[in-house]
Amino acid sequence: MQEVIDAEYLERELTVNNLIKKCEALEKTISEVLNGNGNEFGRYTSYRLFAQTYNDIAKEAVDKHLFIGHYNTFNLEQIPSEFNTPWSMQKVIMENVLVNTRMLITLLSTDDHFKRYELCNIENFIKSNLRSCFDEMPKNEKEIQKAIENLFIGKGMSKGIDFDRETGKVKYSSKEYSPDFILLKMNMCMEVKYIKENTKNNRIIDQINADIPAYSKKYQNILFVIYDVGTIKNEIEFKRDIESNKNSNIKVIIIKH
């Protein structure tokens, strides 16, 4: 049964990703036209084609049951041809298509099923690949953070779009917290902790417990990546109380060196 569920999530993920890429391509093309140089006359004559392309993407999203409820489309029968439409009106229609395309990207990116699968995907990706980044034991958290960033980039994720580092600060009880990573499309922040041989588990747990209420103010999902050189003896016990926190969707990954 789990294999069937995973297959369904994978198919949904591929579909959503494909539609988002189509939207992003449309968004980029429209933006290039709108921001281009040269004579305004004749620049916006593709406005009907862009509207039709947007309609096709939105229809595919609905047909695939990716979201329900109201969504915008353009009535092409009521949009006159370029021969009967001044360039200023062509530009307005194109700008409207751009706005609706960006709204559709947001709708697709915040799909609950998609986000849940993506969260599991990120967790499994880090668990499967982070340890192999180090031939020798890392010296500090910065090395681990850099390895995770390289993994993200190798996965095809773009810094500043799919993820970012040490941004998204949160102020809590007169103190400012800055997560190591943020993944905005998943409304998630990620913290890296390094447990060395002389590190006491209680100190790391205290740090995590201090992070949780602060990050919960801004992020729906929190992921703690614990890189352990052998101090944690019972992983289940270490994670249990942290992940049972009801304020947020909290996950803990423990990577053994």
Side-chain angles (χ1 to χ4, degrees):
M1 178 62 70
Q2 183 62 42
E3 292 176 355
V4 173
I5 294 173
D6 289 343
E8 290 176 353
Y9 274 124
L10 179 58
E11 182 180 359
R12 189 182 186 93
E13 179 195 25
L14 292 173
T15 302
V16 172
N17 272 325
N18 182 49
L19 289 175
I20 289 175
K21 288 183 183 300
K22 287 182 179 180
C23 287
E24 290 175 343
L26 179 60
E27 177 190 29
K28 179 180 179 182
T29 305
I30 295 175
S31 297
E32 288 175 350
V33 173
L34 291 173
N35 297 322
N37 297 320
N39 196 334
E40 301 276 8
F41 182 78
R43 190 196 303 176
Y44 312 108
T45 55
S46 297
Y47 66 99
R48 282 176 58 87
L49 175 61
F50 290 143
Q52 178 65 67
T53 302
Y54 164 82
N55 280 358
D56 292 342
I57 297 172
K59 182 179 184 303
E60 185 178 353
V62 173
D63 290 345
K64 298 288 187 179
H65 307 290
L66 298 180
F67 62 87
I68 58 176
H70 178 74
Y71 64 98
N72 296 327
T73 55
F74 294 89
N75 189 337
L76 297 179
E77 293 181 357
Q78 294 183 359
I79 298 178
S81 72
E82 63 269 24
F83 302 108
N84 300 317
T85 308
W87 69 261
S88 57
M89 182 56 65
Q90 294 176 9
K91 182 180 180 183
V92 169
I93 295 172
M94 192 176 290
E95 289 171 339
N96 286 335
V97 175
L98 180 61
V99 169
N100 279 277
T101 300
R102 287 172 173 167
M103 290 174 61
L104 185 55
I105 291 173
T106 300
L107 275 173
L108 293 169
S109 300
T110 55
D111 173 79
D112 286 339
H113 293 285
F114 178 66
K115 283 199 299 182
R116 281 197 295 270
Y117 188 87
E118 282 291 276
L119 288 168
C120 292
N121 203 3
I122 288 294
E123 294 169 25
N124 291 331
F125 177 71
I126 293 173
K127 281 194 288 188
S128 300
N129 294 281
L130 183 56
R131 172 62 184 86
S132 61
C133 293
F134 300 102
D135 293 328
E136 299 179 358
M137 187 180 300
K139 299 180 179 64
N140 50 51
E141 287 181 0
K142 289 293 183 183
E143 289 187 19
I144 301 167
Q145 293 165 6
K146 183 62 177 176
I148 291 174
E149 180 176 355
N150 290 337
L151 285 175
F152 284 167
I153 293 172
K155 184 177 169 60
M157 299 170 65
S158 299
K159 187 175 181 180
I161 299 176
D162 298 307
F163 75 96
D164 218 334
R165 282 190 63 180
E166 298 177 343
T167 60
K169 293 180 180 179
V170 179
K171 190 172 183 180
Y172 182 78
S173 296
S174 74
K175 184 178 178 181
E176 203 168 54
Y177 293 77
S178 181
D180 295 325
F181 293 91
I182 59 171
L183 293 91
L184 287 178
K185 291 181 180 179
M186 288 177 264
N187 196 11
M188 182 174 81
C189 69
M190 182 188 305
E191 274 290 303
V192 176
K193 304 293 183 183
Y194 182 38
I195 301 185
K196 297 178 285 188
E197 292 178 352
N198 59 349
T199 305
K200 293 184 178 180
N201 291 352
N202 288 342
R203 184 164 68 85
I204 296 296
I205 292 174
D206 288 343
Q207 291 177 8
I208 291 173
N209 286 331
D211 291 338
I212 289 173
Y215 292 139
S216 296
K217 288 183 60 179
K218 187 171 183 179
Y219 300 100
Q220 182 181 359
N221 303 289
I222 305 173
L223 177 62
F224 291 99
V225 179
I226 314 294
Y227 200 97
D228 175 44
V229 300
T231 303
I232 299 175
K233 305 301 181 185
N234 189 326
E235 294 186 27
I236 295 176
E237 181 180 338
F238 185 94
K239 297 193 300 183
R240 183 177 56 228
D241 290 339
I242 298 172
E243 292 186 337
S244 65
N245 189 294
K246 296 181 180 180
N247 292 331
S248 291
N249 184 11
I250 301 169
K251 292 291 183 180
V252 178
I253 297 173
I254 298 176
I255 309 295
K256 292 284 190 178
H257 187 84

